[in-house]
Amino acid sequence: MADTTYFADILLPLPLPATYTYRIPQEFENRVDFGQRVVVQFGKNKLYSGLVVAVHTQVPPHSFVKYIIDLIDEYPVITPKQFELWRWIAQYYMCTLGEVMAAALPSGLKLSGETQIMLHPDFIGDVSNLNERELKIVESLTYRDKMLVAEISKVVQVQKVFPIIKTLVEKKVVIVAEEINELYKPKKEQFITLSEPHQTDENLFLETMDHLSKSKKTEKQAHILLTFFMLIQQNQNRRDFAISKQELIKRSNCSTSSLQTLINNGVLSLVSKSVSRLTDYDSYSSADEIAFSEIQLETIDKIKHQFEKFNTVLLHGVTGSGKTEIYIRLIQDALDQGKQVLYLLPEIALTSQIINRLRKFFGNKVGVYHSRFNELERVEIWNKVLPVTSGNLNNYSLILGARSSLLLPYENLGLIIVDEEHDGSYRQIDPAPRYHARDSAIVLANIHQCKVLLGTATPSLESYYNVQTGKYGLVELFERFAQSTLPDIWIENLILAKKQNKMQGYLSDFLLEMVKEALEKKEQVILFQNRRGYSIRMICNTCSGMPTCKHCDVTLTYHKHSELLKCHYCGYAIEVPEECPDCHSRDIEMKGFGTELVEEKLAEHFPDARIARMDLDTTRNKYSYQKIISQFENHEIDILVGTQMVTKGLDFDRVSVVGILDADNLLSYPDFRSFERAFQIISQVSGRAGRKEIPGRVVVQTFQPAHQALRFVVANNYWGMYQSQIEERKAFRYPPVYRLIKLTLKHTDFSVLNQGAAELGYKLKKVFPNSVLGPEFPLVSKIQNQYLKDIYIKFPKDGQVENRKKVIQEIINHFKAESKFKAIRINIQVDA
């Protein structure tokens, strides 16, 4: 009887439509399983680490099947439930499974022959624990800054080089070169343990302690050893027990010098250990210790009751109503059942504040995951989410993160919380997969058979529509915590203010007076302007010319700090010209205003105030958000000027005044969602005021004081806003009543793009008459030298959407098969 031949279907992190089948060598037959990484050759001579997604005995139809070169992992690095979500995202959002894998896996888990390796900056040259091949790699890297994996393979004359590199990475000898710019530095603490002789010989330890206790000079050292001995007994008599140096000094109430003497004499040893940045608490509070208000307790009961009928529940609670405390109680319930919890936030800016609140209750069970972490940190967190069966003994049970945390390897989710569920940041725009984290979270919950809680003060029309159509449950919380009241909102008519000379540049006298009163009372102020930079554009008063980006179809924004005109799409920048580039007139001036100008003008009006700015320019560094928020929380900042970052869920107790400096920028944006988004953003930023005992006041500056969205905000009338917008969406066939798919075509040649877009639009209209809009140029029609055209396709929600998506994909495939159009890139955005 012939031996059975085994094959594996391998998923590669490339934009490819399928998996590829490889033969499993006999040496790996009983070791290769789902979720492990293997090294395979793809193409003529490229090596990749791919994921095993199936092991089978079905012989592929083609005659030549390549072998798996090597096995990287002993345990799987992904879970079956995780892979099920990946497949759904690929199918629903019309992208490839390889694109989902590339987005989900940290780069540290995606090695290829093209990957560059270099010596770890902390490597001090100790090669005592390296074997011959590892030593040869290190020697080669001492002569070259970086080497490709393929080059290293030739140096050691071994094709199976990936496991060797993996071992060198684990030994902190080498590092993936792309990661060097932001190298992960684990938090180190000094720990005390018994020296090797005293660990192995208990009598020696007791003799030493007895000897030291007999002399007055050494009695403090004896006391330290006695304290240490008692701790060993409390920890199951483990001789290798270690305690932090500071903790031992604190417990024994002795000096550092006495401890150092014991270390110098070889009784105790000092070791440096990596510790979690989150475990700053010796003991943690219970959620039962939170002083819930009566209405909060009622709300928790209502949510649990709704969970009995619905898998997804919308918590519609006004700003400052104490939703986070409610989340904590529900998280505690899930963790008590031995389940994992995912807490999604739209912005990294929110995580630094909420993590401090969550870790008081859940300590080192909390893991944080978002795009500001470098790849080494991401791998570390990824491994701590993996189930214990994958060799991990210290996993996180509560993950707090932005949208990318949805793609981690969960095995046992019991609850998903999507905070600020309305926020547009939950949608991934570029690159693919262009998924929506809120909607994908609901699918992930279905895979894990767990519940989803969507929380917000301003629900998205999509979520509220699902409530009205019976898909989601609803719990409402319209009372602020601790009897604080919603802020008073004033609409400042800028037309009138300008006529009456009551404007100081872009700030009205009315707003400035409110800021002055707040500062006199030692209260804080938040001013919102949704434009960064100093001035929006530079304009010539002679020819009306404006400097524009040479790569994008946008005007350049003036940044005074760097004295540059910058493009916010591609980063292109030029020095500020002294004359108009077109007509050479010197009659040029700056128009419009951004956060940088607001900050400068405030400093002129309030020279003694401590003013800070929170926008993309001031938060580029990893911990910039955290630093600014921490300073504002500690009242080290009086006035915070910012873009949308200041609108989202932040909780400050001394903010009494909020100013929205240019509401028209939100109200007049040409998009079918602009009315809804303006209502949400203005309501959210207004909600930062008056959250504790200090009453809040909000000033909205606008040239459209009668705009309906502002009336709904002032009246806190979400239901009125929803009704008006849902009727409009029904009339014009827009989401959430209809499905909407957006195709964006890109090409460097304007005429090729025009021709291709017209051709594709024609093909789509033939199949879907009366359902296709466009092709049309978007608001910004050129980005990074690529011209853009959009096509929109609308469908009723009639159960045929998936079939229509297949037809659209076939049309696109046929279109791209034409040689003249194959270079046109097409981005697909489902539920646009």
Side-chain angles (χ1 to χ4, degrees):
M1 184 174 168
D3 290 337
T4 305
T5 303
Y6 289 93
F7 299 91
D9 294 335
I10 307 299
L11 176 63
L12 298 169
L14 302 169
L16 301 168
T19 56
Y20 291 83
T21 303
Y22 288 79
R23 187 169 173 178
I24 301 175
Q26 279 190 328
E27 60 186 293
F28 298 140
E29 273 182 6
N30 298 318
R31 294 169 57 198
V32 174
D33 204 354
F34 170 86
Q36 292 171 308
R37 288 177 302 158
V38 293
V39 181
V40 294
Q41 183 181 344
F42 187 73
K44 284 189 177 180
N45 46 26
K46 286 192 176 180
L47 297 179
Y48 287 94
S49 60
L51 283 171
V52 177
V53 296
V55 176
H56 56 85
T57 56
Q58 188 176 345
V59 181
H62 43 280
S63 56
F64 178 70
V65 182
K66 294 176 183 175
Y67 277 91
I68 287 174
I69 294 170
D70 207 355
L71 177 64
I72 298 176
D73 302 304
E74 185 181 350
Y75 298 100
V77 296
I78 67 167
T79 67
K81 290 177 180 176
Q82 178 188 24
F83 186 63
E84 194 176 336
L85 176 69
W86 289 10
R87 282 194 300 195
W88 179 84
I89 289 175
Q91 173 262 321
Y92 186 83
Y93 290 105
M94 301 178 71
C95 61
T96 67
L97 198 51
E99 287 173 318
V100 182
M101 175 189 171
L105 276 186
S107 294
L109 296 178
K110 294 180 296 191
L111 294 171
S112 75
E114 307 290 304
T115 304
Q116 291 186 317
I117 304 296
M118 67 184 296
L119 286 176
H120 197 298
D122 292 344
F123 177 61
I124 57 174
D126 182 7
V127 296
S128 57
N129 64 340
L130 303 185
N131 61 35
E132 188 179 337
R133 284 173 177 162
E134 292 170 345
L135 189 58
K136 195 174 280 189
I137 293 171
V138 171
E139 286 174 349
S140 299
L141 285 169
T142 56
Y143 296 106
R144 296 177 60 180
D145 289 340
K146 298 175 187 175
M147 291 180 71
L148 297 176
V149 168
E151 293 173 326
I152 291 172
S153 180
K154 290 177 183 176
V155 166
V156 293
Q157 297 181 330
V158 174
Q159 194 174 21
K160 300 178 181 181
V161 76
F162 282 78
I164 303 173
I165 291 170
K166 181 190 174 190
T167 305
L168 287 171
V169 169
E170 289 168 352
K171 290 178 180 178
K172 293 185 169 53
V173 175
V174 301
I175 189 171
V176 177
E178 291 81 19
E179 296 161 356
I180 191 60
N181 292 332
E182 201 172 18
L183 177 63
Y184 174 50
K185 295 278 188 183
K187 183 180 176 183
K188 295 277 189 180
E189 274 189 22
Q190 290 183 319
F191 280 76
I192 303 295
T193 185
L194 286 177
S195 64
E196 187 68 32
H198 289 80
Q199 275 190 34
T200 53
D201 188 344
E202 186 173 351
N203 290 329
L204 176 61
F205 174 75
L206 294 173
E207 287 170 12
T208 303
M209 191 162 61
D210 184 55
H211 172 71
L212 293 171
S213 62
K214 290 177 180 177
S215 169
K216 267 268 187 194
K217 290 183 178 179
T218 55
E219 65 180 357
K220 289 183 179 178
Q221 296 172 38
H223 183 64
I224 293 173
L225 285 187
L226 179 62
T227 304
F228 199 87
F229 182 67
M230 291 170 67
L231 289 168
I232 288 174
Q233 290 181 318
Q234 290 170 18
N235 286 269
Q236 301 173 340
N237 209 27
R238 285 183 54 192
R239 308 294 296 170
D240 60 348
F241 169 74
I243 183 173
S244 78
K245 181 180 176 181
Q246 293 305 316
E247 183 64 18
L248 181 57
I249 291 169
K250 181 180 173 183
R251 284 176 179 263
S252 61
N253 196 27
C254 292
S255 64
T256 307
S257 59
S258 298
L259 178 59
Q260 190 61 47
T261 302
L262 287 169
I263 295 167
N264 294 341
N265 292 339
V267 181
L268 297 177
S269 292
L270 183 67
V271 293
S272 183
K273 286 188 174 184
S274 298
V275 295
S276 169
R277 285 177 164 83
L278 303 178
T279 52
D280 292 338
Y281 294 87
D282 296 325
S283 59
Y284 309 114
S285 305
S286 164
D288 296 327
E289 295 174 29
I290 297 174
F292 290 102
S293 67
E294 189 176 328
I295 195 163
Q296 282 180 315
L297 291 171
E298 287 175 12
T299 303
I300 291 167
D301 289 338
K302 286 178 183 177
I303 291 169
K304 290 179 178 178
H305 180 68
Q306 287 289 298
F307 276 152
E308 292 172 7
K309 298 184 285 185
F310 299 96
N311 290 326
T312 303
V313 173
L314 173 65
L315 173 58
H316 181 192
V318 295
T319 54
S321 56
K323 292 189 288 293
T324 304
E325 286 74 19
I326 292 170
Y327 299 155
I328 289 169
R329 168 59 69 84
L330 296 170
I331 290 168
Q332 183 76 65
D333 291 347
L335 296 183
D336 288 345
Q337 296 169 32
K339 300 284 189 178
Q340 292 174 304
V341 176
L342 170 60
Y343 189 138
L344 282 173
L345 291 158
E347 285 281 356
I348 302 161
L350 297 179
T351 59
S352 59
Q353 191 178 49
I354 290 179
I355 188 61
N356 290 325
R357 296 172 72 174
L358 291 183
R359 66 179 177 178
K360 288 178 183 177
F361 298 96
F362 307 112
N364 58 4
K365 294 177 183 176
V366 183
V368 186
Y369 192 83
H370 54 63
S371 60
R372 285 292 174 101
F373 284 150
N374 66 50
E375 293 305 329
L376 288 177
E377 288 173 301
R378 289 199 207 185
V379 172
E380 183 178 308
I381 296 161
W382 182 284
N383 290 336
K384 285 196 174 185
V385 177
L386 277 170
V388 174
T389 51
S390 296
N392 173 37
L393 301 174
N394 182 26
N395 59 339
Y396 292 131
S397 47
L398 169 57
I399 286 290
L400 176 72
R403 61 174 180 260
S404 58
S405 59
L406 184 81
L407 304 173
L408 287 166
Y410 304 104
E411 180 61 27
N412 188 29
L413 278 172
L415 175 67
I416 300 175
I417 294 169
V418 185
D419 200 11
E420 310 295 345
E421 65 83 25
H422 66 278
D423 200 286
S425 300
Y426 279 123
R427 175 174 288 284
Q428 164 77 10
I429 301 298
D430 267 321
R434 296 172 181 87
Y435 66 100
H436 198 296
R438 178 198 61 216
D439 300 342
S440 302
I442 292 165
V443 175
L444 179 62
N446 185 52
I447 292 169
H448 284 262
Q449 296 295 292
C450 73
K451 304 297 183 182
V452 180
L453 181 64
L454 309 176
T456 179
T458 53
S460 63
L461 259 64
E462 283 80 1
S463 294
Y464 211 78
Y465 183 76
N466 284 332
V467 168
Q468 298 302 314
T469 52
K471 289 183 179 179
Y472 298 171
L474 174 67
V475 176
E476 295 176 317
L477 179 59
F478 292 151
E479 185 178 300
R480 277 192 153 190
F481 185 71
Q483 282 79 52
S484 61
T485 57
L486 287 167
D488 295 322
I489 300 176
W490 282 271
I491 305 298
E492 176 71 340
N493 186 339
L494 293 186
I495 298 173
L496 248 131
K498 280 182 176 289
K499 283 181 180 177
Q500 296 171 355
N501 291 321
K502 292 182 177 179
M503 293 292 293
Q504 305 292 323
Y506 298 101
L507 303 169
S508 67
D509 290 349
F510 183 64
L511 175 58
L512 288 170
E513 185 58 35
M514 281 205 177
V515 173
K516 181 184 175 185
E517 286 178 21
L519 295 177
E520 287 172 350
K521 295 177 184 176
K522 306 297 182 187
E523 294 165 356
Q524 292 173 295
V525 177
I526 290 177
L527 297 182
F528 167 63
Q529 166 60 1
N530 205 28
R531 296 272 192 176
R532 62 188 174 98
Y534 190 86
S535 295
I536 307 307
R537 65 190 66 83
M538 190 187 90
I539 189 166
C540 173
N541 291 322
T542 303
C543 71
S544 299
M546 292 179 283
T548 56
C549 176
K550 70 176 184 179
H551 307 298
C552 310
D553 184 23
V554 291
T555 55
L556 298 175
T557 301
Y558 174 49
H559 289 251
K560 189 174 183 180
H561 178 73
S562 56
E563 280 298 325
L564 292 172
L565 293 173
K566 292 183 180 179
C567 172
H568 289 174
Y569 283 85
C570 71
Y572 171 76
I574 61 171
E575 292 184 359
V576 180
E578 294 181 0
E579 59 180 35
C580 173
D582 298 325
C583 70
H584 304 292
S585 167
R586 287 184 171 266
D587 186 12
I588 53 178
E589 65 175 314
M590 300 297 178
K591 293 282 188 181
F593 67 105
T595 50
E596 199 178 352
L597 177 56
V598 175
E599 182 185 28
E600 182 184 281
K601 294 302 178 187
L602 285 169
E604 293 174 8
H605 288 289
F606 308 106
D608 297 327
R610 297 165 297 179
I611 304 166
R613 178 163 48 96
M614 189 160 76
D615 55 26
L616 189 62
D617 297 319
T618 62
T619 57
R620 292 188 187 278
N621 295 331
K622 184 174 174 181
Y623 297 111
S624 304
Y625 287 108
Q626 192 169 337
K627 185 179 177 183
I628 295 171
I629 290 168
S630 177
Q631 288 174 335
F632 199 64
E633 277 182 316
N634 295 329
H635 310 142
E636 296 168 18
I637 296 170
D638 299 314
I639 305 174
L640 182 62
V641 181
T643 54
Q644 282 194 45
M645 293 177 187
V646 301
T647 71
K648 301 180 181 184
L650 297 169
D651 187 9
F652 304 114
D653 57 9
R654 294 197 61 80
V655 174
S656 64
V657 173
V658 165
I660 297 159
L661 305 185
D662 184 13
D664 303 292
N665 178 251
L666 303 169
L667 298 169
S668 304
Y669 193 79
D671 184 270
F672 75 91
R673 285 195 174 95
S674 62
F675 191 104
E676 174 192 5
R677 285 177 178 158
F679 175 88
Q680 289 167 340
I681 291 171
I682 295 170
S683 297
Q684 287 286 341
V685 73
S686 299
R688 300 315 107 206
R691 294 176 74 90
K692 294 294 186 290
E693 69 278 358
I694 299 172
R697 296 175 293 174
V698 179
V699 179
V700 181
Q701 296 190 160
T702 177
F703 288 97
Q704 305 173 70
H707 197 288
Q708 190 65 44
L710 296 178
R711 292 184 179 182
F712 287 136
V713 170
V714 172
N716 191 31
N717 185 2
Y718 175 82
W719 176 245
M721 187 279 293
Y722 171 80
Q723 285 183 308
S724 75
Q725 284 303 291
I726 213 71
E727 288 305 316
E728 193 172 294
R729 304 281 179 92
K730 284 177 183 175
F732 293 99
R733 303 199 305 165
Y734 277 110
V737 186
Y738 277 70
R739 295 281 189 193
L740 183 66
I741 295 176
K742 176 185 175 184
L743 307 181
T744 300
L745 286 73
K746 299 181 178 183
H747 198 276
T748 53
D749 189 306
F750 184 82
S751 59
V752 171
L753 176 72
N754 262 346
Q755 188 183 354
E759 178 73 16
L760 182 59
Y762 172 75
K763 290 175 185 287
L764 289 166
K765 286 173 182 175
K766 271 181 68 178
V767 181
F768 304 111
N770 305 317
S771 296
V772 180
L773 295 178
E776 290 293 341
F777 288 108
L779 191 63
V780 179
S781 59
K782 180 187 173 189
I783 297 176
Q784 295 180 351
N785 289 325
Q786 299 263 344
Y787 293 97
L788 283 66
K789 266 203 162 177
D790 292 337
I791 298 173
Y792 291 88
I793 312 160
K794 300 177 184 179
F795 297 129
K797 292 185 172 181
D798 57 3
Q800 296 299 310
V801 175
E802 292 311 312
N803 291 333
R804 293 189 182 105
K805 283 198 278 193
K806 287 177 184 175
V807 173
I808 292 170
Q809 191 65 66
E810 287 171 8
I811 292 172
I812 290 172
N813 291 342
H814 285 127
F815 170 78
K816 294 198 80 172
E818 297 182 43
S819 58
K820 58 183 174 179
F821 299 137
K822 65 192 282 186
I824 294 178
R825 286 176 52 205
I826 301 177
N827 290 349
I828 306 172
Q829 196 170 315
V830 178
D831 296 340

